[in-house]
Amino acid sequence: MTTMATAARTRPAAPTASASPEVAEAPEATETPEVTETPVVTEAPEANATPVVTEAPETTATEIRRHELADFLRSRRERITPEQVGLVRGRRRRTPGLRREEVAQLSAVGVTWYTWLEQARDIQVSPQVLDALARALLLDRSERSHLFSLAGAIDPAPGTECPSITPALRALLRQLEPIPACVQNSRYDVLAHNRTYGRLLCELDAVAPEDRNIMLLAYTNEQWRSTVMDIAEVTRFLTAKFRAAMAEHLAEPSWKALLKRLEAASPEFRETWARHEVVSSGGRSKIFRNAHVGLLRVETSDLWLGPSAGPRLVTYVPRDEETRERLQRLQALVLADED
């Protein structure tokens, strides 16, 4: 009895129904896990921070002129046909205008040296070489002046005639009389004319050579303006042609100087120029009231002496027999004044 009682006392008690097993507690939802290392974060630049920019070296005025000179020479070389300078075109020619070696040959300079000029290399150019280039490229007075300005040289012969005005061309102008005729460049400078043209619109020989420009005459010469019938329509048409032609010469000082001069001299030109009208070149019927022989009805024609950017021969052919007779009378007056 005693043994059984002892065993009963040492037997472990069974768990009661209300007892719960022990469970390890989970961390609270709000508890942040412990981080042992702090990640390295690169700070973004501030919104108003100024980026550091490495400045490129400035382009000097001399460098700009060299590049302008290169572009100018290239453009003038490309507008001249081989036939204009007495060269044979050949069958396989792909270059527009003249080749570099042909310009070098005509100018009596080295091909490499001329190539460096068109590449804007830093080389010195003498006035004698510039004069040779101007003749080879058939530059007119304004173009020649621009060439020497870009090269930073003094022109030894600033009054040199345009090489494209050859003795043969002057003879042709004389042979066309009594038909008025002149040679103009793309800027509308009158480079040469015959005697009847000199009396057609105004006393052209009395006008200074630097002022013999159709645009200037149309807006500032009263005798020229009084001769042209329907002057408002004519000046509007001329201005539209001038704007179209200037698109290829925007950077050239002679064109910019002419535009500035016209704007300063004529409110009418400023108003017409602001319309931004353009029209291509071509023949047109015109009526003039000449101070010496009266009403003249003519048809203008342009004969290009090379590419369209170069000089052209402009003729004023009579549209009727009455105009033909009056032009003959005008020629007779010119001849009488020369005697």
Side-chain angles (χ1 to χ4, degrees), residues 2-292:
T2 306
T3 304
M4 293 179 61
T6 304
R9 287 196 300 267
T10 60
R11 185 183 300 163
T16 61
S18 60
S20 301
E22 293 185 5
V23 180
E25 295 182 359
E28 298 180 5
T30 58
E31 187 175 348
T32 304
E34 183 178 354
V35 179
T36 57
E37 293 185 3
T38 304
V40 179
V41 179
T42 304
E43 294 184 0
E46 297 181 6
N48 58 354
T50 303
V52 178
V53 179
T54 303
E55 294 185 359
E58 294 184 1
T59 303
T60 65
T62 302
E63 290 174 327
I64 294 174
R65 283 202 304 270
R66 284 206 310 269
H67 285 279
E68 287 287 338
L69 175 61
D71 293 341
F72 181 69
L73 289 172
R74 189 180 307 110
S75 69
R76 294 308 180 267
R77 171 173 61 83
E78 292 176 350
R79 77 175 186 179
I80 300 175
T81 62
E83 293 82 359
Q84 283 182 273
V85 291
L87 298 177
V88 179
R89 174 174 291 275
R91 295 181 178 179
R92 298 184 178 179
R93 177 177 292 269
R94 298 180 180 178
T95 304
L98 297 178
R99 299 187 178 101
R100 286 175 175 172
E101 56 267 29
E102 291 170 338
V103 175
Q105 175 188 347
L106 293 169
S107 307
V109 299
V111 177
T112 301
W113 187 88
Y114 179 76
T115 301
W116 286 352
L117 267 182
E118 284 201 8
Q119 292 175 345
R121 299 281 191 95
D122 187 8
I123 57 177
Q124 297 296 321
V125 191
S126 68
Q128 291 74 21
V129 170
L130 291 172
D131 177 69
L133 287 173
R135 295 177 185 277
L137 296 173
L138 306 179
L139 303 186
D140 60 33
R141 288 182 180 179
S142 62
E143 292 169 334
R144 179 186 175 96
S145 175
H146 184 48
L147 174 69
F148 277 84
S149 296
L150 291 177
I154 298 176
D155 188 353
T160 303
E161 290 288 342
C162 175
S164 61
I165 308 300
T166 62
L169 183 54
R170 291 189 181 278
L172 174 61
L173 288 171
R174 184 67 65 93
Q175 289 296 319
L176 286 172
E177 293 176 354
I179 294 176
C182 68
V183 177
Q184 300 176 16
N185 61 12
S186 57
R187 203 179 73 125
Y188 295 94
D189 295 318
V190 178
L191 305 178
H193 62 279
N194 62 14
R195 293 170 296 185
T196 44
Y197 182 84
R199 297 284 186 90
L200 179 66
L201 296 158
C202 66
E203 300 294 330
L204 191 59
D205 291 335
V207 178
E210 61 272 18
D211 294 336
R212 294 176 190 173
N213 175 275
I214 300 301
M215 294 299 297
L216 283 175
L217 293 170
Y219 280 102
T220 64
N221 187 289
E222 289 304 321
Q223 186 182 11
W224 199 101
R225 291 173 61 85
S226 64
T227 301
V228 178
M229 307 294 289
D230 196 8
I231 184 63
E233 182 63 24
V234 170
T235 52
R236 181 180 177 183
F237 181 75
L238 279 173
T239 304
K241 290 204 301 182
F242 179 69
R243 180 179 282 280
M246 190 172 182
E248 299 180 6
H249 307 274
L250 294 175
E252 295 183 26
S254 61
W255 285 75
K256 293 190 290 186
L258 176 58
L259 176 60
K260 185 177 181 180
R261 184 176 177 184
L262 287 166
E263 289 177 328
S266 173
E268 180 186 353
F269 173 80
R270 292 196 300 270
E271 179 182 349
T272 308
W273 184 254
R275 295 176 182 174
H276 290 266
E277 295 175 331
V278 292
V279 66
S280 59
S281 298
R284 193 175 185 217
S285 298
K286 296 181 180 179
I287 303 176
F288 302 136
R289 188 177 297 280
N290 183 267
H292 305 285

